[in-house]
Amino acid sequence: AQSVTQLGSHVSVSEGALVLLRCNYSSSVPPYLFWYVQYPNQGLQLLLKYTSAATLVKGINGFEAEFKKSETSFHLTKPSAHMSDAAEYFCAVSGNTGNQFYFGTGTSLTVIP
Amino acid sequence: EPEVTQTPSHQVTQMGQEVILRCVPISNHLYFYWYRQILGQKVEFLVSFYNNEISEKSEIFDDQFSVERPDGSNFTLKIRSTKLEDSAMYFCASRSDVGADGYTFGSGTRLTVV
């Protein structure tokens, strides 16, 4: 069975500050991990994915995430927050032969000018 | 870039009425999904569809729900007799293959049951 836990339902950062959104996963098989972003009144857009290649994954809009098996984590980071990064962020996991995705409860990111 | 298209963007229906939510997946994708997101809650899996049949479904996907791919392009979710608790954002998604591919999601249909 797979699941993800996102710590912190709301995160606020100043413009230009580091963004860190936390995700821990549980999986009985080697996982595939994903981060999605949801802007207001829009659908879910894939930011990046980990599929057992490089542990440091770079995505769109300057985001990256590092897969740490020892910590069962896949935290999302961005060195410098921009106002346009304000959105809801979802971590998701599936098994390597998995069909279904399991989403976290989401983290709402606010960027303060 | 190819998109998953969902219509309508917002639907209001009376309790007990049937609703059909429509989706046009990306044309060369083979796997199709419906997820829902009740306001303020996580995105929940409803059903997956492959090769013209349901491949997985969740406990949420009871007899009131059905899916269909009637014409090889549209992928529909029908709720036979809507309840207040069916109010949610419903997302359609498609992918070309299982495993490493992420989904491509549509922008969602907000269903409000009154």
Side-chain angles (χ1 to χ4, degrees):
Chain A
Q2 288 91 35
S3 66
V4 291
T5 302
Q6 290 183 244
L7 296 174
S9 58
H10 298 277
V11 171
S12 292
V13 299
S14 298
E15 191 174 15
L18 172 72
V19 176
L20 171 61
L21 305 182
R22 299 177 187 274
C23 173
N24 288 88
Y25 71 90
S26 172
S27 179
S28 55
V29 297
Y32 289 162
L33 292 156
F34 305 83
W35 275 99
Y36 281 85
V37 62
Q38 184 180 28
Y39 296 103
N41 300 314
Q42 294 188 29
L44 296 157
Q45 181 183 5
L46 181 65
L47 269 180
L48 50 78
K49 62 182 180 182
Y50 166 76
T51 58
S52 73
T55 56
L56 181 63
V57 181
K58 294 188 185 300
I60 62 172
N61 301 338
F63 283 94
E64 61 183 38
E66 186 172 7
F67 173 71
K68 292 187 176 180
K69 186 177 179 180
S70 61
E71 298 177 8
T72 61
S73 69
F74 189 59
H75 302 330
L76 182 71
T77 60
K78 181 173 180 178
S80 177
H82 193 271
M83 296 299 295
S84 60
D85 295 327
E88 189 88 13
Y89 292 81
F90 292 93
C91 182
V93 63
S94 75
N96 57 4
T97 57
N99 192 19
Q100 180 184 151
F101 278 22
Y102 297 87
F103 283 86
T105 50
T107 297
S108 176
L109 176 66
T110 300
V111 181
I112 303 165
Chain B
E1 186 164 333
E3 290 185 343
V4 174
T5 305
Q6 287 187 246
T7 55
S9 57
H10 191 188
Q11 180 152 1
V12 181
T13 188
Q14 286 198 322
M15 192 169 54
Q17 295 296 304
E18 174 184 286
V19 295
I20 297 176
L21 309 183
R22 301 182 191 278
C23 170
V24 179
I26 293 173
S27 61
N28 63 347
H29 282 187
L30 302 176
Y31 297 82
F32 313 110
Y33 305 83
W34 284 100
Y35 281 74
R36 80 172 185 190
Q37 184 184 25
I38 295 172
L39 187 64
Q41 299 185 25
K42 68 168 67 177
V43 179
E44 301 174 292
F45 171 76
L46 291 179
V47 66
S48 61
F49 192 86
Y50 170 71
N51 201 25
N52 285 319
E53 60 183 23
I54 291 173
S55 49
E56 272 184 81
K57 60 181 181 179
S58 71
E59 293 178 353
I60 303 167
F61 195 87
D62 61 21
D63 292 344
Q64 292 299 310
F65 291 88
S66 63
V67 289
E68 199 175 37
R69 191 160 156 77
D71 56 10
S73 63
N74 290 284
F75 178 52
T76 62
L77 174 70
K78 182 193 291 187
I79 309 175
R80 266 181 265 284
S81 177
T82 49
K83 303 187 280 286
L84 294 176
E85 54 265 38
D86 293 327
S87 296
M89 181 75 95
Y90 288 82
F91 291 107
C92 174
S94 68
R95 72 200 298 196
S96 59
D97 198 0
V98 293
D101 279 359
Y103 295 170
T104 301
F105 280 90
S107 56
T109 293
R110 180 166 297 286
L111 176 66
T112 303
V113 182
V114 297

